[in-house]
Amino acid sequence: MVRKSFGDPVAEDLRFVVKTVVGEENFVDMYPNKSNNYCCGGGGGYLQSGFTEARHEYGRMKLNQILATGANYCITPCHNCHAQVHDLSEHYEAGYHTVHLWTIICLALGCLGENERTYLGEDLAEVGL
Amino acid sequence: MADQAINISEQKGEFREKVKSLLPDAGNLNICLTCGTCAAGCPATGLEGMDPRKFVRMVALGMDEEVMNTNWVWMCSMCQRCIYACPMKVDIPQMVGLVRKSWPAEKKPKGITASCSMALRHDTCSAMGASEDDFQFVVEDVLEEVRQSQPGWENLQAPVNKEGAYYFLNQNSREPVTEPDEMVPLWKILHLSGADWTYGTKGWAAENYCMFAQDWEAWEHITKVKAKAVDDLGCKVWLNTE
């Protein structure tokens, strides 16, 4: 979405949204970012290709980027990214949670339903219920 | 790699000619500086003993055998970071795509080709084979449950085939098929922002595995079905959640 289609301005828009919903002090950016960021390895058909070992190896670059932020949650606006980033955390026992952007927006709005919290950790699972 | 020097005169170079004739600006293949900026920033570097720079050199040297048979083309996600970083804009992702296209259908990863075939079964374009009726049923069922069980959301909308809506929203098949509750937060956000939107029973599936399979005919078919679905409802904006 950023590198291939709309460029860095849309990455700025997404940061505005995320900072607004989680609070500026709770947002940690990764390095490198925006158009210069690395692919997580969920796209291009990778998730269905059967090359699972290669996909995990490929994803180590993204895993290390996430771990370097020290953040407890990684927000992924794309479904393929969500599947891969979530799987990386499980596979490498990295311990971070992976949430859709819509989940965190609705949590901030106070309207996230009980059945819509699959990817939240224990710390946020009951918030606003 | 090779223990001996590669004899260029012995290489066929048919794929190199394909790159030159099919890609805009011949993929800029001839102006590659061999600097390795592509390989340095590629998560697929090292897989199958390959990296983007090696791949480009193999194409340039005409090493068809190696280029056409490496599984590495399926381990590159075609994310385009290499061409973004490349000072000469060598179109490595398109070359990877062309190699994928050149593989016989039966040799391509089955998970990808099967998802493409599945998407061709219905005009929904769902790689998981969900039909028009399946989708509409799940949306209406989940909506009804939210209206009844979540106070304050009795008027939540999830329009299907609403003519003239401004936004045509699509959805990855995994949501309606495997975790339908994940659609609800998105509906709430659209509701609170007052967006005029709709799903379509045709063309609602966001994914396109025919593109990943580089089956150009099927890829074009899927794209046309999706575009027609948006046009038929008279929507102005196609919102892709992928």
Side-chain angles (χ1 to χ4, degrees):
Chain A
M1 179 176 173
V2 176
R3 179 160 56 236
K4 290 182 178 179
S5 303
F6 298 110
D8 284 355
V10 80
E12 298 289 356
D13 289 348
L14 282 165
R15 276 163 182 72
F16 170 79
V17 172
V18 172
K19 285 176 185 173
T20 304
V21 297
V22 305
E24 189 132 14
E25 69 280 13
N26 292 316
F27 173 71
V28 194
D29 214 335
M30 58 170 53
Y31 177 85
N33 64 7
K34 301 172 190 170
S35 292
N36 211 30
N37 212 327
Y38 302 121
C39 171
C40 65
Y46 230 140
L47 287 161
Q48 299 290 338
S49 71
F51 294 117
T52 309
E53 206 176 306
R55 177 167 59 77
H56 286 147
E57 188 61 23
Y58 183 111
R60 281 203 304 135
M61 204 175 252
K62 180 57 68 187
L63 177 83
N64 290 334
Q65 275 185 289
I66 296 167
L67 292 177
T69 66
N72 297 321
Y73 284 82
C74 181
I75 303 173
T76 52
C78 148
H79 197 129
N80 277 322
C81 296
H82 182 274
Q84 166 76 343
V85 172
H86 184 263
D87 186 45
L88 289 174
S89 184
E90 301 245 307
H91 178 75
Y92 290 106
E93 298 178 356
Y96 62 81
H97 301 287
T98 312
V99 288
H100 294 286
L101 181 57
W102 55 58
T103 306
I104 215 80
I105 292 176
C106 282
L107 183 68
L109 286 166
C111 66
L112 192 65
E114 202 177 339
N115 299 334
E116 298 147 26
R117 296 169 177 250
T118 308
Y119 298 103
L120 291 179
E122 279 180 21
D123 53 343
L124 295 179
E126 307 282 324
V127 172
L129 263 183
Chain B
M1 281 231 329
D3 294 329
Q4 297 176 334
I6 296 157
N7 187 342
I8 296 176
S9 63
E10 289 173 2
Q11 307 296 328
K12 279 196 206 153
E14 285 172 9
F15 183 72
R16 178 179 58 213
E17 297 314 309
K18 200 184 255 187
V19 166
K20 285 184 182 174
S21 64
L22 285 178
L23 295 192
D25 300 320
N28 287 332
L29 179 61
N30 278 350
I31 56 172
C32 168
L33 303 172
T34 75
C35 68
T37 302
C38 51
C42 172
T45 285
L47 299 176
E48 298 284 300
M50 286 287 283
D51 65 50
R53 190 178 69 105
K54 275 188 191 172
F55 178 76
V56 169
R57 296 330 301 153
M58 285 175 169
V59 174
L61 292 172
M63 298 166 68
D64 288 351
E65 185 67 21
E66 290 82 352
V67 167
M68 302 310 288
N69 290 302
T70 177
N71 282 335
W72 188 77
V73 295
W74 304 98
M75 298 176 181
C76 152
S77 70
M78 301 198 284
C79 77
Q80 299 190 4
R81 194 182 188 279
C82 52
I83 186 172
Y84 178 79
C86 176
M88 307 312 284
K89 299 291 164 231
V90 178
D91 202 344
I92 304 166
Q94 288 272 31
M95 291 177 208
V96 168
L98 271 185
V99 175
R100 284 190 181 194
K101 180 182 185 299
S102 305
W103 275 43
E106 67 277 9
K107 277 192 69 185
K108 292 179 182 179
K110 285 195 174 46
I112 296 177
T113 52
S115 295
C116 170
S117 303
M118 198 61 100
L120 298 171
R121 286 168 63 170
H122 303 282
D123 280 351
T124 60
C125 305
S126 167
M128 295 176 84
S131 71
E132 286 87 339
D133 289 346
D134 292 341
F135 181 67
Q136 188 159 6
F137 174 81
V138 169
V139 168
E140 289 174 358
D141 191 50
V142 172
L143 178 66
E144 193 51 38
E145 194 185 319
V146 173
R147 284 175 168 180
Q148 286 179 11
S149 65
Q150 297 195 31
W153 291 100
E154 293 81 2
N155 293 317
L156 182 64
Q157 305 290 320
V160 178
N161 294 334
K162 180 183 167 191
E163 285 188 28
Y166 191 77
Y167 296 106
F168 182 105
L169 180 71
N170 66 19
Q171 197 85 63
N172 186 296
S173 286
R174 273 175 292 181
E175 272 110 44
V177 175
T178 65
E179 42 183 9
D181 287 325
E182 285 297 327
M183 296 189 289
V184 181
L186 188 51
W187 301 347
K188 290 175 175 171
I189 294 164
L190 291 165
H191 184 91
L192 291 171
S193 59
D196 178 20
W197 70 283
T198 187
Y199 284 129
T201 44
K202 293 185 187 300
W204 57 264
E207 66 277 5
N208 189 343
Y209 277 89
C210 300
M211 173 176 71
F212 300 146
Q214 289 287 310
D215 178 338
W216 287 3
E217 209 175 302
W219 175 9
E220 184 181 4
H221 170 81
I222 294 284
T223 307
K224 281 185 168 170
V225 169
K226 290 183 183 183
K228 185 174 184 299
V230 181
D231 286 341
D232 284 351
L233 288 176
C235 300
K236 298 288 185 291
V237 177
W238 183 25
L239 273 185
N240 191 343
T241 58
E242 263 308 289

